[in-house]
Amino acid sequence: EWYRDTLAWSLRHRFAVCAIALASVVAGIALVVAGFIPVEFVPTSDYGYFVLRTETAPGTSLDAHNEAMAEVERVLMAMPDVKTVTASVGVSSTGVLGAGGTGQAQYGSVTVEVRPRSTGRRDIFAIADEARERLRGVAGLTPKVSVASGMDNGQAPVAVRLTGTDFDTLSALAGQVQNSLEQSPGLINVANGAPVGQP
């Protein structure tokens, strides 16, 4: 009876119904525009794992990087929410689950699987943030922690590309851009992709 009465009222007051519907749409758009509802084209999700890339100084031996990677494994396994750690030295993660690589001893890749949500573990982003903080203390190694997105292609969500013909100028400018971005709030894992000479 309530539905029948409401339907009858709606048919008698069509203008009011249309106005309410239009106001609802405008209000919904306003919430997004005002920033009350965050929006992403492909939002990151909790898939139960995160990845990190490691990098050492150019010319670092495979053994030296492997030794630093062992410390990374110890730090990660000491975290209560971590289930397994899979590490590789001599590759640079370039895709889902760290697939792909560059074949240089200075690069490494780690995939960290966390415990199921049913165990009461924290959000994957909180775990990744803790890992990022803990790994700052590993000497001689620069870790870049990231949580995979639904369409992870190994690319950073923000990238700046510089082009030119003079290598020295490009290298200097890339360093300046990196320094500026590192001072910007909200950015993490800022990396300079300019090639450097191998000793």
Side-chain angles (χ1 to χ4, degrees):
E1 290 180 1
W2 178 87
Y3 175 75
R4 186 176 58 219
D5 293 343
T6 304
L7 184 60
W9 182 90
S10 300
L11 292 174
R12 288 195 308 271
H13 302 86
R14 294 175 185 172
F15 180 78
V17 172
C18 291
I20 292 171
L22 182 61
S24 299
V25 172
V26 171
I29 294 172
L31 287 174
V32 174
V33 173
F36 291 109
I37 300 176
V39 177
E40 276 188 86
F41 179 65
V42 182
T44 51
S45 301
D46 190 338
Y47 293 109
Y49 76 93
F50 62 91
V51 296
L52 65 98
R53 300 184 315 276
T54 60
E55 184 175 351
T56 58
T60 300
S61 69
L62 199 60
D63 288 337
H65 194 169
N66 191 47
E67 187 176 327
M69 187 66 85
E71 177 63 20
V72 169
E73 293 175 3
R74 283 192 292 272
V75 169
L76 292 172
M77 287 305 297
M79 296 173 59
D81 293 318
V82 172
K83 181 179 178 184
T84 59
V85 175
T86 306
S88 300
V89 177
V91 298
S92 176
S93 61
T94 56
V96 176
L97 292 174
T102 62
Q104 295 183 27
Q106 76 181 90
Y107 298 109
S109 174
V110 182
T111 301
V112 182
E113 182 186 5
V114 298
R115 300 189 186 283
R117 293 297 293 264
S118 59
T119 63
R121 71 161 167 85
R122 295 171 297 160
D123 182 84
I124 190 71
F125 305 101
I127 300 170
D129 287 342
E130 181 186 347
R132 190 177 294 113
E133 287 300 317
R134 289 192 180 204
L135 292 173
R136 291 183 195 276
V138 179
L141 187 133
T142 304
K144 309 286 185 187
V145 180
S146 60
V147 178
S149 70
M151 294 177 61
D152 183 20
N153 61 0
Q155 300 297 316
V158 177
V160 178
R161 176 171 293 185
L162 306 179
T163 59
T165 55
D166 185 88
F167 174 78
D168 293 333
T169 302
L170 274 178
S171 185
L173 291 174
Q176 292 176 21
V177 171
Q178 179 184 10
N179 291 336
S180 296
L181 293 176
E182 286 175 340
Q183 305 305 316
S184 300
L187 296 182
I188 57 173
N189 297 334
V190 177
N192 185 346
V196 294
Q198 295 287 345

